[in-house]
Amino acid sequence: MSVCAYLSTTAYTAYAQSRLQSLEPNIPADSKLMLSANELVYDKDAERISAVGGVQINYAGYKMVSQRVEYNQKTGRMTAIGNIELVEPNGTRLYAETLDVTDNFANGFLNALRIETTDNTRLAAESAERIDGRDMVLNNGVYTACLPCAKHPERAPFWQVKAQRMVQNGEKHTIRLEHARFELLGHPIAWIPVLEVPDQTVKRKSGFLFPRMSQAQNLGFGLTVPYYYVISNSQDLTVSGTGYTKQGFLLDAEYRQRLENGTFSVRAAGISQMNEDTFSPGTSDSEVRSRGLIQSKGAFQINPRWAFGWDVMAQTDNNFSRTYELNGDEYVHTSTAYLTGLGKRNSFDMRAFYFDIQDASLTSADEEKQAIAAPVIDYSYYAPQPVLGGELSIDMNFTNIYRNRADVYSVDGFDRFRGLDGRMARMSTEAEWKRTFVTPGGLLLTPILALRGDVMNVDMTAPNLIDPANYVYTGGFEGSDANTRGMATAGLEARYPFLISTSNSTHVIEPIAQIFMRPDEPLAGMLPNEDAQSFVFDATNLFERDKFSGFDRIEGGTRANIGLRYTGSFDNGYTLNGIFGQSYQLGGKNSFATDDLVYAGANSGLEDDVSDFVGMIGATTPFGLSLAATSRFDKDNFEPMRTGTTIGYGNDRFQTSLTYTHIEPQPKYGSTEVNSELQTSGRVKLTQYVSVYGSLTWDLNNDVVSRRSVGFTYEDECTIFSLGFTGKSDVANTAANDWTVAARLSFRTLGDIRIGD
């Protein structure tokens, strides 16, 4: 019994001494010791217990092997000699040649120490000493997060830090490197007096983060030094100070807190500029000396179905955030708040929007032209049980917007009123029922019934009152009154899919025909159009009952849609799919030929009784090549009016894509010239760790490369290095031409060094 007790103490001592992550071992009181050795000797006179030859000790999940282990009762010291390896329950491994510790675990020595943690951090030292049960001091040590080369383990790792003295504090969970030099590929490149990093047990640790650098024409060279402060397990604060050679010191602080059901943050930043004259005269950058912002974000999960959150920002002027890239180079910052709910067969979404235009012009009214939307509510419901054997769905939308100034402009003689000043509130409800019947011959017939109603209150300035000398609207306008409208639709869809099977492929060909009967669109062109301005007629919406993108417009009149859908699958891995068709206005007023405030539907291919042809095709291959193309063809001469084609290829080492876009002029819709563009991008993995990439955008109209970029990346398990160049050209304003160079160097467990973004 006494021998077992002594050996238990020995193993416990070895474990406690080697454990670098905490002060006290977490071993249950009823843990049992398992010992295996070639020879076990108890010297009663010398009061020494020895385990010799192939010693293996398992204790409370800890495993240790050594050639010899001795425990001296008189001196209270335990020694282990020869090829010591200890594995902790968390996976950390410790290797040493000799170990000598006291039985109170407070002091001890190790020689030829090597430590491998679970996150592949590695420490090695000629010798190590444990002091006062808290610190582990390693002499002439090496620290790295790189794995050794599998083929040549004797080579130096990609990077390492050699220090005369390394101190791992078990209380603070830090590793302090003193009198250190940083080596890259075995060559010293920097001397560091003191460097302190957290050990692998730390998820969050207060301290300075790696600095960031930047360069801008009006700001000069910038150096950002962030300090990260852990307030509690659920709170932290990052304070960053940036010194600009031309503008002075910018202070940026962000507080974050995690609660039981979500997180939120509050950020504040400010600067008192030293040299406003470096900016262009007459801009907000040059006119405002003291600049700042406050911003907050939040996201909370109320329960499994409901969530709410926000992202709001307020600043002293209209360009501070963009000038100093506090939220990147965004031209529009959208402040929003939301509440969402998701059920099994219904959904609810309520949001508020404010669009902050980042513009340096003191006279710009772009922000006042943006609508303030609060709230916008969407609700969708699908009946859980069939209604008359079919599917019943209900969609509701409530929109309330306000605008301070009208958004109007002229293009090629057409006046477009993108937004009117004033307020509009609209409530829309739409119900749809449909059921599919299968005839004995395989024909699929789907009757569709829809009913919609809108109630709205409009208090906006009529377009002809904005600037009668410059802008004219001939569509009539119900600008300051309560209005209602409704729409009833009866439709029928017929599909006849048939399958063709061969010995190595299957093909599905499906002719589709639809007809929708309904009255003319009520108040067409006489109401504001805020959410249905964007419209593109293509194969994706050929078979839509209402092709408008929003609620402010309703498709009216009797319309038929006819097309063919094809899907093919081949045993060798090839797939094909495609759609081709046309739409016909059979009766009533064509909504797409009825001009509204923004000419929605004009030049779309649907404005005539017989529409343009639309088609889409896609193909994939088993070796990584893919094709996707969509196009609209003129109904008279089959000339392409709008085309988008993408060819892509990818495998483990190479990815590339080529996209061609062509759009004919749409003068009523604001585009007076042909738009043709070619975009290509690619990435090549030269080795396991090295990749090069590039992209090019070619404006075919003006025969100019409008954007290009090139760069390379090195990335292994411990290091990331990337360097990239981007150039932009503006045909309309050559002063806007710009180029940037960005670089990033990241050492795992140490931090990042960034230049640019």
Side-chain angles (χ1 to χ4, degrees):
M1 291 293 291
S2 60
V3 171
C4 291
Y6 291 144
L7 290 175
S8 175
T9 302
T10 301
Y12 185 80
T13 305
Y15 151 72
Q17 172 57 36
S18 65
R19 195 170 194 271
L20 299 180
Q21 288 74 35
S22 64
L23 296 178
E24 296 294 339
N26 183 19
I27 298 178
D30 58 350
S31 297
K32 299 184 181 299
L33 173 82
M34 300 295 294
L35 170 66
S36 173
N38 295 338
E39 182 179 0
L40 184 64
V41 178
Y42 176 47
D43 188 338
K44 186 175 181 180
D45 295 332
E47 299 184 59
R48 180 184 293 112
I49 304 168
S50 302
V52 183
V55 181
Q56 298 183 27
I57 299 175
N58 290 350
Y59 187 60
Y62 297 87
K63 302 176 182 179
M64 189 180 81
V65 298
S66 178
Q67 294 180 356
R68 183 182 183 92
V69 176
E70 294 184 354
Y71 178 71
N72 191 314
Q73 287 182 282
K74 291 182 178 180
T75 62
R77 300 190 72 88
M78 186 276 292
T79 58
I81 303 171
N83 297 327
I84 302 168
E85 178 181 357
L86 184 138
V87 182
E88 300 184 2
N90 63 8
T92 299
R93 294 175 178 269
L94 180 145
Y95 305 88
E97 282 300 315
T98 63
L99 179 149
D100 183 357
V101 295
T102 59
D103 60 3
N104 64 356
F105 323 135
N107 300 281
F109 301 92
L110 299 93
N111 288 322
L113 174 66
R114 182 163 54 93
I115 302 171
E116 297 177 1
T117 66
T118 53
D119 67 345
N120 287 327
T121 301
R122 284 164 161 73
L123 296 89
E126 293 179 358
S127 62
E129 179 181 2
R130 186 170 177 83
I131 303 173
D132 297 332
R134 189 193 70 175
D135 295 335
M136 176 71 76
V137 179
L138 292 80
N139 301 309
N140 295 326
V142 177
Y143 174 94
T144 184
C146 299
L147 296 174
C149 178
K151 295 183 179 180
H152 302 280
E154 74 282 357
R155 292 181 180 175
F158 187 83
W159 66 264
Q160 62 184 0
V161 181
K162 291 185 176 180
Q164 293 183 9
R165 191 169 181 263
M166 294 193 299
V167 181
Q168 179 156 9
N169 190 304
E171 193 172 64
K172 296 181 179 179
H173 299 284
T174 59
I175 302 173
R176 181 182 176 89
L177 310 174
E178 300 175 355
H179 303 290
R181 67 176 185 271
F182 185 87
E183 294 187 355
L184 196 64
L185 296 174
H187 301 285
I189 61 172
W191 178 78
I192 308 171
V194 176
L195 177 65
E196 188 172 272
V197 297
D199 65 25
Q200 88 279 5
T201 65
V202 175
K203 295 182 179 180
R204 301 159 66 243
K205 183 70 176 176
S206 298
F208 285 99
L209 306 179
F210 263 62
R212 301 188 302 268
M213 291 169 282
S214 63
Q215 176 69 43
Q217 179 180 357
N218 297 317
L219 306 180
F221 175 78
L223 178 64
T224 302
V225 179
Y227 183 83
Y228 178 73
Y229 178 64
V230 178
I231 302 173
S232 68
N233 290 334
S234 61
Q235 299 170 284
D236 58 38
L237 175 69
T238 301
V239 178
S240 300
T242 303
Y244 292 101
T245 55
K246 293 185 178 181
Q247 298 302 337
F249 183 75
L250 183 144
L251 184 64
D252 185 2
E254 183 175 15
Y255 168 82
R256 292 170 294 269
Q257 181 168 1
R258 178 177 293 277
L259 303 176
E260 184 176 352
N261 60 343
T263 62
F264 76 92
S265 65
V266 179
R267 181 184 187 186
I271 188 174
S272 179
Q273 298 181 149
M274 295 191 309
N275 299 301
E276 302 98 305
D277 295 340
T278 60
F279 297 101
S280 299
T283 64
S284 57
D285 294 322
S286 65
E287 295 294 331
V288 183
R289 173 178 288 270
S290 298
R291 313 177 71 181
L293 68 75
I294 185 168
Q295 184 175 4
S296 178
K297 296 180 181 180
F300 290 87
Q301 194 72 34
I302 302 173
N303 57 40
R305 293 188 176 185
W306 288 92
F308 77 95
W310 66 87
D311 179 356
V312 295
M313 181 186 76
Q315 54 184 349
T316 54
D317 60 87
N318 58 345
N319 206 44
F320 172 58
S321 175
R322 189 183 187 200
T323 299
Y324 289 89
E325 296 191 348
L326 300 178
N327 289 287
D329 187 26
E330 60 178 10
Y331 177 66
V332 180
H333 181 85
T334 304
S335 292
T336 181
Y338 65 88
L339 171 67
T340 61
L342 182 63
K344 292 183 179 180
R345 298 185 65 84
N346 61 349
S347 63
F348 175 89
D349 187 287
M350 180 171 67
R351 295 178 185 266
F353 299 94
Y354 181 85
F355 302 97
D356 191 349
I357 305 298
Q358 306 285 295
D359 191 334
S361 173
L362 291 173
T363 61
S364 174
D366 287 348
E367 188 167 320
E368 294 182 1
K369 295 178 181 179
Q370 301 300 311
I372 302 171
V376 177
I377 302 174
D378 287 287
Y379 177 76
S380 295
Y381 170 81
Y382 290 85
Q385 300 297 330
V387 177
L388 299 177
E391 181 184 75
L392 176 65
S393 62
I394 299 175
D395 290 307
M396 301 178 65
N397 173 267
F398 175 77
T399 298
N400 182 74
I401 67 167
Y402 178 81
R403 183 181 284 102
N404 291 312
R405 181 176 295 194
D407 185 2
V408 189
Y409 71 100
S410 290
V411 177
D412 201 28
F414 297 98
D415 299 333
R416 303 189 76 235
F417 299 82
R418 291 189 297 189
L420 304 177
D421 61 304
R423 188 185 65 83
M424 181 195 75
R426 175 185 41 75
M427 178 70 182
S428 302
T429 304
E430 184 174 56
E432 182 187 70
W433 175 90
K434 58 185 177 182
R435 179 181 178 181
T436 300
F437 298 89
V438 182
T439 67
L443 178 66
L444 304 179
L445 296 175
T446 304
I448 301 172
L449 299 175
L451 187 65
R452 170 172 167 174
D454 298 273
V455 179
M456 61 200 72
N457 183 274
V458 180
D459 186 12
M460 290 182 164
T461 302
N464 288 326
L465 298 179
I466 296 174
D467 189 353
N470 294 311
Y471 304 116
V472 177
Y473 181 63
T474 60
F477 184 73
E478 299 291 332
S480 57
D481 202 354
N483 297 279
T484 61
R485 65 181 178 181
M487 177 64 70
T489 303
L492 180 66
E493 179 184 83
R495 294 182 290 128
Y496 189 69
F498 55 93
L499 175 66
I500 301 175
S501 297
T502 67
S503 59
N504 60 3
S505 65
T506 59
H507 308 266
V508 178
I509 301 175
E510 185 180 29
I512 303 174
Q514 296 176 327
I515 185 169
F516 296 105
M517 295 174 290
R518 55 206 161 194
D520 294 341
E521 178 184 2
L523 301 174
M526 302 173 69
L527 296 171
N529 180 2
E530 296 284 347
D531 68 355
Q533 296 187 9
S534 175
F535 179 75
V536 175
F537 175 50
D538 57 24
T540 62
N541 57 19
L542 171 63
F543 298 112
E544 291 290 331
R545 174 173 54 83
D546 189 337
K547 296 179 176 60
F548 282 113
S549 58
F551 288 90
D552 286 338
R553 291 294 305 271
I554 306 174
E555 185 176 343
T558 299
R559 178 171 290 276
N561 304 310
I562 298 176
L564 186 71
R565 179 184 293 153
Y566 165 78
T567 302
S569 178
F570 300 83
D571 292 347
N572 55 9
Y574 289 82
T575 64
L576 293 172
N577 62 83
I579 297 176
F580 187 81
Q582 197 174 26
S583 184
Y584 306 88
Q585 185 75 22
L586 302 181
K589 183 185 291 186
N590 187 346
S591 293
F592 302 103
T594 304
D595 292 339
D596 66 2
L597 293 167
V598 293
Y599 297 100
N603 309 126
S604 66
L606 282 168
E607 64 272 22
D608 296 327
D609 290 344
V610 178
S611 79
D612 288 345
F613 295 97
V614 291
M616 179 175 64
I617 188 172
T620 62
T621 66
F623 52 85
L625 183 66
S626 63
L627 168 69
T630 180
S631 187
R632 175 167 63 90
F633 304 94
D634 186 273
K635 64 181 185 301
D636 298 321
N637 54 24
F638 215 68
E639 178 184 351
M641 304 299 294
R642 188 183 188 100
T643 300
T645 303
T646 299
I647 300 175
Y649 176 78
N651 57 28
D652 293 340
R653 299 182 64 87
F654 177 62
Q655 296 88 37
T656 186
S657 66
L658 178 67
T659 299
Y660 170 72
T661 304
H662 173 84
I663 304 175
E664 287 293 309
Q666 298 176 278
K668 282 190 175 182
Y669 209 60
S671 175
T672 59
E673 297 181 353
V674 174
N675 290 314
S676 296
E677 191 174 77
L678 194 65
Q679 299 180 31
T680 182
S681 63
R683 186 180 187 92
V684 182
K685 193 172 184 179
L686 300 178
T687 68
Q688 181 181 359
Y689 305 120
V690 179
S691 300
V692 296
Y693 62 88
S695 66
L696 188 73
T697 300
W698 183 14
D699 183 347
L700 299 176
N701 290 23
N702 299 287
D703 193 22
V704 64
V705 176
S706 58
R707 187 179 181 91
R708 65 274 189 199
S709 66
V710 65
F712 84 95
T713 298
Y714 173 89
E715 181 174 0
D716 60 21
E717 79 285 346
C718 64
T719 309
I720 299 174
F721 175 65
S722 60
L723 178 66
F725 165 86
T726 299
K728 296 180 290 185
S729 300
D730 191 323
V731 177
N733 182 10
T734 57
N737 294 350
D738 194 13
W739 60 267
T740 59
V741 175
R744 175 192 178 194
L745 181 59
S746 175
F747 302 110
R748 188 173 66 85
T749 72
L750 293 183
D752 286 353
I753 300 175
R754 292 175 182 264
I755 301 176
D757 186 10

